[in-house]
Amino acid sequence: MKKELGKKPIEEASLPDEIVIPLSQNLGSPCKPLVEIKQRVLVGQKIGDSDGFVSAPVHSSVSGEVVAIEPRLSFSGDKVLSVIIAPDGNQETSSFSGFSESEAKDADKVRVAIREAGIVGLGGAAFPSHVKLSPPKDKPITDVIVNGCECEPYIAGDHRNILENAEIIIDGLKIIMRVLGAERGYIAIETNKIDAIHHMNNLVSSEGNMRVVPLSVKYPQGAEKQLIQVILDKEVPSGGIPCEVSALVHNVGTTIAISKAVREGKPLFERVLSVAGPGIKESKNLKVKIGTPVNHLIEECGGFKGEPGKVILGGPMTGFALFDLSVPIVKGTSGVVVFPREMTIASNPRACIRCGRCVQVCPVRIMPNFIGQYIEVGMIDRAEDADVMDCIECGLCGYVCPAQRPLIQLIRHAKAKIIADRKKGGS
Amino acid sequence: MNSELIVSAPPHIKSHETIGKLMGWTFLALLPVVLLDIYLFGGHAIRTISLSMIAAVLTEAAILMYRRMPVTVIDGSAALTGLILALTLPPKVPYWIPLVGGFLAITFGKQLFGGLGYNIFNPALVGRAMLFVSWPEILSNSWFAPLKELDAITSATPLMALREISAGNLIADISVVYKPLLFLNRGGCLGEISALLLILGGIILVSRKVIDWRIPVSFIGTVIFLSFFARTNILITLLGGGLLLGAFFLATDPVTSPVTRKGRVVYGIGCGLATMLIRLYSGYVEGVMFAILFMNSFVSLIDRYTLPKKYGLVKAK
Ligand code: SF4
Ligand code: SF4
């Protein structure tokens, strides 16, 4: 199924009647609105920004009129202040221009451009890219990895991006390497995307300091720390970030966005994603305007096949199940996956039978079984001692558990509690 | 429409493994042994096996009801305990032995600890051990000739024969000992009837990943290794005394064995070591049973000392 979707070219999704752009789409400080109700906005116009360093501005994805600025439901289930725009259909573009070749060599200017373009990690974490590109002085980055491993089932947007936009990816990687003064660039692609590997290999062969790394298909290979481990044979210290091993990972989509921001001055207002799953009539790879409601995309794909049971924003291993389909696509949305009702059997959790499956699959090699049991009885501190904070929330432990234990739920609960406690302790 | 969507935490897809399926594979792996038992011992086998399973299931249901918990006997775990217990019994035991055994196994081996997942000792073995301690003569004197006579062979159990052999004539008559051990072994418990079928069952479980190969391999490997040094007859040691049943079906019970890979090897070696020590230095033919129970008590300790090395062990400052 995934293979077939990888063969489908990216299509441009139609404009919805209403665009909802949340002012907080990424980790870090939320944006303040820069527009007013009734104001006319253009494609690519900045409509929200924040002073915080760990933040990225948001832009309008359409030309039209701001009809409201109000809290709207976001994918996480919370209400988030959002700018609501009625598109006029003309898609009139605000003027933006790229850098000349000499300007593109100025690292600081490039960083500013990337920030101004509102670029965040498109793989899902939505971490502001310019922050990643500003490592501490004493920790220079030598290795840059472009992550083309789409390990979540059903999703194929990155695969299509590699096939259709390989030159732009290479250019983006060059820009990143130059900004950081990095020595080596890697493009990691899983071996089930042979066409993508060949295509990329042909283009990269002339670049001396870049190479394509074919990787076996093994979830969660695409997770940042796991990629660094297999490609560079280094482990990021527990609780640390990749720059501590002189590495940086950017997703394929992010790399494209970086190139476009620098060469064309184009802000991040659209992205490629897959609408897929056994519960949708026709799976598609779509280029979608940020702020498009999920139900518009479902119509775009012919509607549901059978009675819908679950609609997931992101991939089926780690994504969010939605209860309301008016939720908009944000920068970090890599897919919309639909399962029909008959495939969503209610799970029936039992006590751990100590089969060890979760222990064997955990990529960070913690003990999900014990951690789950500690959290269940409220022993959050024991869970913390057992390194629950190192969990990358890949979802594998819950996937394999024959006792259907809600391990991720428990782990997220504990993590939230520990973070809250640490904050309290810190202030 | 929207109100009917299901919201739950990820992952939104699941492997198809469930507790019930794991139990189902184990039943399937034991089925050939059970069928052969019925063929050889007829009504006696049916009676012992079914009574043990019924007693286990009813006890489980009654206790769960009393504890006001969901009655989950459908998962098959109690029935499996009953079946495995029956397989550790001689074919011709009085009808009340499997009944009492099933009750003891579930009550003292499982529910007293809190039910599935919380017990420390293998429930079937707890039942078996309690029966053995209470009525030793019944449990060791109920050997019963199969309905279908195949060879006229000695009525002593192979392990008893082993003691005689190692005392004097090391060369055992193949047709007297090996053949019945490998194919049909009438002197022994229901589950020891055929080494071949047990190995077949073990292969099913390992290939379906129901059990981790590390436990039977390290268990049996240790026994082979030690019997080499103890100069006992390796084949007889291996094929008799419930070693295969124990290594494939009892020591591998997930609840009562370690969760880490390394831990499982340590545990298997421990089981093998304990088995040989008991066999060599005490008269008990039941070495395997006590060895596994003994090692069960070390499982959480083993887990604690065999935790996998975490990703990024060096903590960030
Ligand atoms: S989600 Fe589970 S398997 Fe994945 S890292 Fe966390 S504990 Fe390990
Ligand atoms: S997979 Fe589930 S049942 Fe098995 S050890 Fe982990 S938590 Fe326990």
Side-chain angles (χ1 to χ4, degrees), chain B residues 153-154 156-181 231-237 239:
Chain B
I153 52 170
T154 159
T157 73
L159 272 197
M160 288 176 178
L162 166 68
R163 295 230 300 280
E164 282 161 29
I165 292 163
S166 50
N169 54 328
L170 256 166
I171 310 142
D173 183 351
I174 299 226
S175 71
V176 173
V177 185
Y178 291 158
K179 211 171 116 197
L181 272 173
R231 293 168 179 275
T232 55
N233 186 307
I234 292 180
L235 258 186
I236 299 181
T237 315
L239 300 180

Side-chain angles (χ1 to χ4, degrees), chain A residues 229-371:
Chain A
Q229 184 186 4
V230 287
I231 297 179
L232 305 177
D233 194 24
K234 289 181 189 166
E235 292 192 5
V236 180
S238 163
I241 52 173
C243 75
E244 289 174 55
V245 290
S246 311
L248 180 90
V249 180
H250 268 304
N251 155 279
V252 162
T254 318
T255 312
I256 294 176
I258 287 175
S259 163
K260 295 214 163 160
V262 174
R263 303 292 177 200
E264 302 167 19
K266 183 186 168 190
L268 180 58
F269 58 79
E270 57 189 4
R271 67 158 297 152
V272 173
L273 56 81
S274 298
V275 181
I280 195 97
K281 275 250 169 62
E282 192 192 350
S283 294
K284 284 183 179 176
N285 297 307
L286 294 172
K287 189 187 255 184
V288 177
K289 302 278 177 279
I290 304 295
T292 304
V294 169
N295 44 24
H296 179 78
L297 295 181
I298 287 171
E299 278 165 38
E300 189 87 10
C301 294
F304 293 118
K305 187 154 86 192
E307 195 190 341
K310 240 188 208 183
V311 178
I312 300 146
L313 217 53
M317 290 298 285
T318 60
F320 288 84
L322 301 177
F323 58 88
D324 186 327
L325 301 183
S326 67
V327 162
I329 299 299
V330 291
K331 294 174 188 174
T333 311
S334 54
V336 176
V337 180
V338 184
F339 288 107
R341 181 150 303 258
E342 62 271 17
M343 281 180 71
T344 45
I345 359 126
S347 77
N348 177 17
R350 300 285 308 270
C352 167
I353 56 162
R354 300 176 37 88
C355 69
R357 282 175 174 70
C358 57
V359 178
Q360 264 96 64
V361 296
C362 178
V364 293
R365 302 189 292 273
I366 56 178
M367 305 287 283
N369 56 332
F370 292 148
I371 289 174

Side-chain angles (χ1 to χ4, degrees), chain A residues 96-351:
Chain A
F96 37 76
S97 59
F99 284 172
S100 64
E101 193 55 31
S102 62
E103 280 174 313
K105 290 208 169 86
D106 183 331
D108 287 328
K109 272 195 178 161
V110 168
R111 270 192 275 263
V112 171
I114 289 170
R115 185 196 176 275
E116 280 306 301
I119 294 172
V120 300
L122 298 189
F127 191 76
S129 298
H130 66 278
V131 182
K132 269 191 169 180
L133 293 175
S134 317
K137 282 260 152 22
D138 56 330
K139 288 179 180 146
I141 306 262
T142 53
D143 300 271
V144 177
I145 301 171
V146 174
N147 184 358
C149 293
E150 220 152 14
C151 36
E152 286 235 23
Y154 298 108
I155 292 183
D158 286 350
H159 186 179
R160 285 316 302 181
N161 257 332
I162 299 173
L163 289 176
E164 297 180 31
N165 300 310
E167 290 90 349
I168 308 179
I169 295 171
I170 294 171
D171 182 60
L173 176 55
K174 272 188 207 158
I175 294 172
I176 296 169
M177 287 171 68
R178 198 157 54 200
V179 167
L180 296 167
E183 292 150 25
R184 290 168 295 266
Y186 306 85
I187 300 167
I189 306 174
E190 287 174 311
T191 47
N192 62 346
K193 306 177 186 88
I194 277 294
D195 48 353
I197 294 178
H198 284 321
H199 184 54
M200 202 44 118
N201 254 333
N202 289 339
L203 293 171
V204 158
S205 54
S206 55
E207 312 284 340
N209 52 358
M210 266 182 215
R211 66 185 177 93
V212 175
V213 192
L215 293 178
S216 59
V217 185
K218 189 170 161 240
Y219 186 83
Q221 190 102 270
E224 196 167 74
K225 293 184 177 179
Q226 276 55 46
L227 268 185
I228 292 173
Q229 184 186 4
V230 287
I231 297 179
L232 305 177
D233 194 24
K234 289 181 189 166
E235 292 192 5
V236 180
S238 163
I241 52 173
C243 75
E244 289 174 55
V245 290
S246 311
L248 180 90
V249 180
H250 268 304
N251 155 279
V252 162
T254 318
T255 312
I256 294 176
I258 287 175
S259 163
K260 295 214 163 160
V262 174
R263 303 292 177 200
E264 302 167 19
K266 183 186 168 190
L268 180 58
F269 58 79
E270 57 189 4
R271 67 158 297 152
V272 173
L273 56 81
S274 298
V275 181
I280 195 97
K281 275 250 169 62
E282 192 192 350
S283 294
K284 284 183 179 176
N285 297 307
L286 294 172
K287 189 187 255 184
V288 177
K289 302 278 177 279
I290 304 295
T292 304
V294 169
N295 44 24
H296 179 78
L297 295 181
I298 287 171
E299 278 165 38
E300 189 87 10
C301 294
F304 293 118
K305 187 154 86 192
E307 195 190 341
K310 240 188 208 183
V311 178
I312 300 146
L313 217 53
M317 290 298 285
T318 60
F320 288 84
L322 301 177
F323 58 88
D324 186 327
L325 301 183
S326 67
V327 162
I329 299 299
V330 291
K331 294 174 188 174
T333 311
S334 54
V336 176
V337 180
V338 184
F339 288 107
R341 181 150 303 258
E342 62 271 17
M343 281 180 71
T344 45
I345 359 126
S347 77
N348 177 17
R350 300 285 308 270

Side-chain angles (χ1 to χ4, degrees), chain A residues 358 361-364 366 368 390-398 408 411:
Chain A
C358 57
V361 296
C362 178
V364 293
I366 56 178
D390 283 338
C391 164
I392 58 167
E393 299 188 23
C394 67
L396 262 188
C397 50
I408 295 287
I411 288 172

